[in-house]
Amino acid sequence: MQVPVVISGVGLITPETRQVKEFYRLVLNGTYQGPKIFALTPREIQQFFCQPKDMRFASRGVQYGMGALQEALADAQVPEESMGQRTGVFYGEFMPFKPSLKNTLESLAANYGQDFDPDIYLQEMQRTSIFDMLKNVPNVAAFIVAANYRITGPALTFLNGCASGATALLEASQAIATGQIDLALVVSGHSERNQLEKLFWRAGGWFGENDFSEGEVGTALILEREATALARGIQPYARIRGGLASWIDLLAGEHLSERIVGLIQRGLGKAGLALTGVDYLNRMAFFSKRYSEVNDQIYQRLKQRQNSRLSQWQSERVSPIWRHWIGHTFAAAGLVEVIGTLGELARGELALINTVGYGGYIVSLAMEGLR
Amino acid sequence: MRRVVVTGMGAMTPFGNGVGILWDNVLQGKSAVKRIERFLVKDFPVKAAGEIPLENVQQALQELSTDERKILGTNPCTIYAYLALREALLDAGFDLATLPDMGLILGVGHSHGNFLDLYPEMLHCFTVEGVFAEEAFLQKLLERPELYALYDDYVCGLGPGRALFQIFHFTEPILNISTACASGTNALGEALRKIRHGASEIIVAGGVESLVDLDGLTLFQKLHILATSDLPPEQVMRPFDATREGFVLGEGAGIVVLEEMDHAIKRGARIYAELAGYASGTDIYHVTSPTPSGEPVARVMCEAMQDAGVAPEEIGYINAHGTATEYNDAVETTAIKLAFGDRASRVPISSTKSELGHMIAASGAIELILSVLAVREGLIPPTINYEHFDPACDLNYVPGGAERADVPVALSNSVGFGGQNAMLIVKKMDLRREGAGEYAGSGGN
């Protein structure tokens, strides 16, 4: 027996704002200027951690995620004492890049020359801080969240590329729906400022004027049973209706849009839904402009399957691509799309959020507005 | 509730390619740990590891098509996962060309790939003054696709999953789960839950890891949990022994085909055992150390037994996490006592890491495979190198060689870095009692 699961709290840290409502206001006013790189102040960071010792191995992306989580928990009015064994952490992570590699190579070149010697490398690595090395361990972020809020239920980290955050959300909703846990903290954050890592994206032609802008963000959502939220007097944002986490071959050429639409329909079908019931389509969150044609094809294919209800979609409601304001935020991108959509979703409307990430990971998620 | 069974298994381990070679060597109490050969270790204090022999990999790759080899690339994780997955699918009786609808849940660790080839190229882009010539490196990446592919693996770590999907076209769910040493166990457990609740009929799940590299060694050595003994390599890994001083790294992949029981029976699949229970929890005491009381570990063991509907008295074998670190083995022993009470001293417990080294993200899946075979064959793998009694580790660790015993139910423990605890329960199945007619199984490879 699966029970209805709702989003009862949201949190967002962006360069411009530390609050979701403020973000919505800035976007609606047209004052949001677009992607930026930013840094939290030391004071802010301290406020986001209940266990200051964990800050030592929290990467910048984790710091952002912790900030967003603090807001989301306050928003959902979750009593701290209610978290424990029946609470889970679901963290969407992009494989952390080794933060100290550049320093190590610089030191090797300066002290030993340009010929690589594994034994010397091992010696050089002894100088690297263990806390910097821990930042490179994928599941450390989930531990930090659990430890800071004394959560002893499952703490799972998902590495599904840029669809990681959306995957974490979908898995969290299923864990509650099937009775594994009662409450889920879904978190993802991203910081994109490692010089060596940026080079990879540049070499692939991803960054820059002709493609996406990098962005930084912290995102968090609180999920629980609908009945629990209502009993606590919380009016949830939305009910998770279902979806799927899958993979598509990005080299499928002309068949790519067709296959993606097939997956979207499969996800809806598993939730007992159909495209005809969808009111709000968050346009396929391909992060790269090189897929803009595929995006258009997907939209056209979805429209071909439309009924009269879909034909009433207005363009501005079809394409609220939040990354225009925040930039591409990798693992957190799917959660940015979800949080952005929640700002517009009216009670009773069904939204379809689709996220496709680097490597071909895809999540299609349906949610129904409750506010 | 729908029941879930194991219908196929595949393993790539330091013993070589295949579940059969793994099982035979573990039962004989052989060690796969050797002196590190992949790169020269002169002054580094850690000198032993469970490396997969390069010739095994090359031989296996020669049997693949050019297209397959191209997709797999050079990332060891990708290659190990592919070979284990292929074996598991064939073992389950599937035609690789016409696979039915199935999902894949992979427990992954770093998956950063073959950076012994990458770092030298990068180092050449640093001047002798230590200045990084960014544009020169960018140019290299643009001009050399093979270098870009290496860098792709290194930066994104998506290699294994991406290659497996591209070759086998799995449908859904498709998940990469990372919970350190518990990754493989969590992947299998989440697959169990999804099949139980009707999300899928078949999911292949398991774990893959290749951390026998410069960064893996450094990380664990700096945490002071790697063995640095001068003993011969095959004797360095000494779980539960009083002279234990940490683990050696292993590498490889373990993949299991999980299937809804009726679905498996209908297609006439060989059923090894039932995957009957799973639990997962977090120990928030410290990022690298378990709570000394063992309570969080014990709790997850109890939850897994509860999930499977079995009592401690029914457990006939525990495949322990058994990392040979001072803390883990003592705390795990305490936790087993908490969870099993009087039964703790009578249940056989072994650490098969003693033979293989610690395969980190892959370890849980490999240990589940060994637990399945223990249940199926009635044979309990030994803990090797156990010679000196430690009062903090005073249970039966099967030190004298494999033991024959009826094992109706087995428990497989994973106690991971970052407080990641995950446990699985395997149950023996008598298919005649399930109304499935003749028991079709033919033994563990």
Side-chain angles (χ1 to χ4, degrees):
Chain A
M1 175 68 183
Q2 300 210 349
V3 297
V5 178
V6 294
I7 297 169
S8 58
V10 293
L12 186 71
I13 293 276
T14 77
E16 306 280 1
T17 70
R18 304 292 183 266
Q19 286 188 321
V20 173
K21 282 179 185 159
E22 178 67 1
F23 172 69
Y24 291 150
R25 194 184 66 77
L26 291 175
V27 169
L28 290 175
N29 286 352
T31 52
Y32 209 95
Q33 297 299 309
K36 278 183 187 170
I37 300 295
F38 75 116
L40 297 165
T41 65
R43 188 171 178 175
E44 280 180 310
I45 296 168
Q46 275 191 332
Q47 287 171 351
F48 296 153
F49 286 80
C50 317
Q51 304 279 337
K53 64 182 171 56
D54 294 342
M55 287 163 43
R56 293 174 298 177
F57 47 90
S59 66
R60 198 181 291 269
V62 176
Q63 292 170 4
Y64 299 159
M66 291 296 287
L69 179 58
Q70 197 171 66
E71 184 193 1
L73 285 167
D75 187 34
Q77 298 173 41
V78 176
E80 210 164 292
E81 62 275 13
S82 70
M83 292 189 278
Q85 285 185 26
R86 297 282 300 167
T87 301
V89 176
F90 294 76
Y91 203 98
E93 180 69 285
F94 203 91
M95 184 64 80
F97 189 79
K98 199 173 154 203
S100 56
L101 178 62
K102 184 164 170 285
N103 292 343
T104 305
L105 293 178
E106 276 172 357
S107 178
L108 282 178
N111 295 314
Y112 303 97
Q114 292 172 310
D115 288 332
F116 187 78
D117 181 332
D119 209 47
I120 291 174
Y121 178 84
L122 286 170
Q123 290 171 41
E124 195 63 30
M125 284 297 288
Q126 297 300 313
R127 299 188 199 188
T128 304
S129 148
I130 186 63
F131 298 119
D132 271 350
M133 296 182 83
L134 286 175
K135 290 175 187 170
N136 193 37
V137 176
N139 66 311
V140 155
F143 170 81
I144 291 172
V145 173
N148 271 266
Y149 291 99
R150 310 208 63 74
I151 292 164
T152 54
L156 302 178
T157 300
F158 296 92
L159 295 174
N160 277 30
C162 307
S164 297
T167 303
L169 176 62
L170 188 61
E171 291 304 302
S173 73
Q174 290 174 0
I176 297 172
T178 55
Q180 182 189 352
I181 52 170
D182 298 329
L183 182 76
L185 278 49
V186 181
V187 188
S188 188
H190 183 75
S191 172
E192 184 72 41
R193 59 178 69 198
N194 185 300
Q195 189 182 5
L196 291 178
E197 190 173 354
K198 281 182 181 179
L199 270 181
F200 169 74
W201 299 109
R202 273 183 66 194
W206 302 100
F207 270 163
E209 289 177 8
N210 296 320
D211 214 292
F212 61 77
S213 303
E214 59 185 326
E216 296 195 300
V217 76
T219 55
L221 295 100
I222 308 302
L223 269 59
E224 61 186 306
R225 292 179 187 173
E226 184 169 2
T228 309
L230 294 175
R232 293 195 303 110
I234 301 297
Q235 181 57 50
Y237 287 89
R239 184 183 294 129
I240 306 291
R241 295 294 303 272
L244 92 172
S246 187
W247 181 85
I248 44 137
D249 187 352
L250 293 176
L251 304 175
E254 61 189 55
H255 300 294
L256 183 55
S257 60
E258 182 186 336
R259 289 181 187 172
I260 289 173
V261 170
L263 282 173
I264 290 170
Q265 289 187 300
R266 181 182 170 122
L268 284 169
K270 287 187 75 168
L273 302 168
L275 267 174
T276 51
V278 174
D279 301 290
Y280 183 107
L281 174 68
N282 184 300
R283 186 176 279 216
M284 179 61 66
F286 264 125
F287 55 82
S288 170
K289 285 183 184 171
R290 73 182 65 171
Y291 289 107
S292 57
E293 195 178 323
V294 179
N295 263 336
D296 291 340
Q297 288 169 2
I298 291 165
Y299 178 52
Q300 292 306 322
R301 285 180 187 279
L302 290 172
K303 277 188 76 172
Q304 282 166 14
R305 291 159 170 80
Q306 71 187 4
N307 67 356
S308 58
R309 196 175 180 189
L310 282 175
S311 67
Q312 292 167 12
W313 283 351
Q314 296 169 18
S315 59
E316 66 268 28
R317 302 214 61 208
V318 171
S319 186
I321 303 176
W322 297 98
R323 63 180 173 278
H324 282 329
W325 292 284
I326 290 186
H328 180 42
T329 55
F330 294 78
L335 297 186
V336 171
E337 303 288 326
V338 169
I339 291 170
T341 302
L342 289 175
E344 290 202 6
L345 197 61
R347 187 177 179 85
E349 285 187 329
L350 187 68
L352 184 60
I353 315 286
N354 303 300
T355 304
V356 179
Y358 186 77
Y361 295 93
I362 176 171
V363 170
S364 183
L365 180 77
M367 60 185 191
E368 180 185 344
L370 295 173
R371 281 190 177 182
Chain B
M1 186 183 291
R2 285 157 46 108
R3 294 168 66 184
V4 179
V5 294
V6 174
T7 57
M9 302 191 290
M12 190 73 189
T13 70
F15 284 122
N17 189 356
V19 170
I21 197 169
L22 164 70
W23 183 235
D24 288 346
N25 279 283
V26 167
L27 283 184
Q28 290 172 43
K30 291 184 179 172
S31 172
V33 177
K34 294 185 173 62
R35 190 178 168 88
I36 294 170
E37 292 179 349
R38 194 162 296 160
F39 44 85
L40 190 60
V41 182
K42 288 181 295 204
D43 300 324
F44 196 63
V46 179
K47 294 184 168 54
E51 289 179 300
I52 291 182
L54 193 59
E55 58 269 24
N56 286 46
V57 176
Q58 285 170 339
Q59 191 182 348
L61 288 177
Q62 277 173 5
E63 295 168 13
L64 307 182
S65 71
T66 310
D67 283 348
E68 282 174 320
R69 285 201 297 268
K70 191 176 171 190
I71 292 170
L72 293 177
T74 60
N75 183 339
C77 279
T78 305
I79 295 167
Y80 302 159
Y82 171 80
L83 293 172
L85 177 58
R86 190 171 189 269
E87 181 191 5
L89 291 170
L90 291 170
D91 187 44
F94 294 124
D95 177 350
L96 298 183
T98 56
L99 286 177
D101 203 25
M102 63 176 76
L104 173 69
I105 304 183
L106 201 58
V108 294
H110 277 234
S111 312
H112 279 317
N114 182 10
F115 54 77
L116 270 176
D117 289 345
L118 178 66
Y119 283 178
E121 296 284 355
M122 294 176 78
L123 188 57
H124 274 275
C125 294
F126 285 78
T127 68
V128 290
E129 288 80 30
V131 178
F132 180 44
E134 183 175 322
E135 293 305 316
F137 185 54
L138 182 65
Q139 202 56 35
K140 270 191 181 187
L141 290 173
L142 290 170
E143 289 170 359
R144 294 174 48 194
E146 82 287 357
L147 188 61
Y148 183 76
L150 281 177
Y151 206 47
D152 186 348
D153 265 345
Y154 189 75
V155 174
C156 302
L158 297 173
R162 186 168 50 186
L164 300 182
F165 310 141
Q166 208 168 342
I167 293 171
F168 294 113
H169 299 288
F170 298 112
T171 47
E172 53 101 15
I174 302 291
L175 301 174
N176 291 314
I177 293 180
S178 187
T179 53
C181 319
S183 299
T185 304
N186 279 121
L188 286 156
E190 296 301 318
L192 162 66
R193 285 220 167 100
K194 287 184 184 302
I195 297 173
R196 257 188 193 168
H197 293 290
S200 297
E201 299 301 314
I202 310 169
I203 299 177
V204 284
V208 61
E209 187 67 87
S210 174
L211 264 172
V212 187
D213 59 41
L214 303 177
D215 292 344
L217 283 173
T218 315
L219 172 66
F220 290 108
Q221 190 264 335
K222 282 179 83 87
L223 290 170
H224 306 292
I225 50 180
L226 288 185
T228 55
S229 165
D230 290 331
L231 287 167
E234 64 275 13
Q235 294 175 25
V236 169
M237 183 82 191
R238 311 172 69 79
F240 302 109
D241 185 277
T243 64
R244 67 188 181 277
E245 55 173 34
F247 58 83
V248 298
L249 283 164
E251 62 178 347
I255 301 286
V256 175
V257 178
L258 296 177
E259 201 164 345
E260 195 277 323
M261 187 175 77
D262 290 339
H263 186 275
I265 290 171
K266 270 183 202 158
R267 75 175 182 91
R270 170 177 54 187
I271 294 176
Y272 283 100
E274 178 180 6
L275 187 59
Y278 162 62
S280 175
T282 310
D283 184 343
I284 56 175
Y285 175 73
H286 187 270
V287 68
T288 58
S289 297
T291 302
S293 73
E295 187 280 327
V297 178
R299 174 175 65 82
V300 178
M301 279 193 257
C302 292
E303 286 175 1
M305 287 189 276
Q306 194 178 5
D307 187 51
V310 299
E313 293 72 32
E314 295 175 70
I315 303 288
Y317 168 57
I318 299 173
N319 188 303
H321 190 58
T323 55
T325 64
E326 183 184 348
Y327 288 116
N328 175 84
D329 291 5
V331 171
E332 191 173 9
T333 298
T334 306
I336 290 171
K337 290 177 185 173
L338 280 175
F340 284 78
D342 292 344
R343 170 81 180 142
S345 59
R346 297 194 303 277
V347 63
I349 302 160
S350 65
S351 167
T352 44
K353 289 184 179 72
S354 62
E355 290 94 356
L356 292 157
H358 191 345
M359 294 166 67
I360 312 290
S363 62
I366 290 296
E367 288 157 16
L368 186 274
I369 288 171
L370 293 169
S371 300
V372 165
L373 293 174
V375 163
R376 170 72 183 257
E377 302 292 308
L379 283 165
I380 295 173
T383 302
I384 62 170
N385 299 324
Y386 179 93
E387 294 168 341
H388 307 93
F389 176 75
D390 176 358
C393 301
D394 55 353
L395 299 175
N396 171 16
Y397 304 109
V398 197
E403 292 178 2
R404 186 162 285 286
D406 181 42
V407 183
V409 187
L411 165 67
S412 183
N413 283 354
S414 291
V415 181
F417 181 99
Q420 305 276 2
N421 297 330
M423 319 295 174
L424 291 166
I425 301 281
V426 181
K427 255 184 181 174
K428 183 184 278 188
M429 282 194 71
D430 182 348
L431 287 185
R432 282 167 294 201
R433 285 184 59 192
E434 307 298 339
E438 194 61 30
Y439 185 57
S442 62
N445 286 17

